[in-house]
């Protein structure tokens, strides 16, 4: 059993931290409402957090797209 903290917004539960589950995994959970006055702590984003995660980028990635030529003139 694992505990996953989440925020409920617009009809969707959004985990406050990454969850290690396979895609489309079916789970069962029990809700426990935390004190509404208690702020939810978010982890601050750090520069360089995803450094080294891009494994491939096309050589022409920065080249202008042919579909947008008329807007670039």
């Amino acid at each position: 059993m694992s505990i996953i903290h989440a925020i409920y917004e617009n009809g969707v539960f959004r985990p406050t931290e990454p969850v290690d589950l396979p895609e489309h995994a079916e789970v069962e959970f029990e809700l426990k409402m935390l004190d509404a006055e208690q702020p939810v702590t978010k982890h601050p984003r750090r520069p360089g957090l995803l450094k080294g995660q891009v494994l491939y980028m096309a050589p022409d990635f920065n080249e202008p797209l042919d579909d947008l030529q008329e807007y670039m003139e």
Side-chain angles (χ1 to χ4, degrees):
M1 185 166 110
S2 299
I3 295 175
I4 298 172
H5 296 274
I7 296 174
Y8 183 72
E9 293 177 326
N10 300 322
V12 176
F13 287 98
R14 184 175 49 84
T16 57
E17 54 194 33
V19 179
D20 187 23
L21 288 173
E23 280 295 310
H24 306 291
E26 189 172 325
V27 297
E28 178 180 315
F29 59 95
E30 180 178 315
L31 295 176
K32 177 182 176 186
M33 182 104 164
L34 298 177
D35 182 14
E37 299 297 319
Q38 181 182 18
V40 176
T41 57
K42 290 187 176 182
H43 300 286
R45 295 180 181 175
R46 295 182 315 226
L49 187 63
L50 295 176
K51 184 176 182 178
Q53 296 297 312
V54 177
L55 301 178
Y56 173 78
M57 188 174 296
D60 63 346
F61 179 78
N62 287 325
E63 298 299 319
L65 298 174
D66 293 335
D67 296 343
L68 301 176
Q69 282 297 331
E70 64 183 86
Y71 299 106
M72 297 175 68
E73 294 175 349

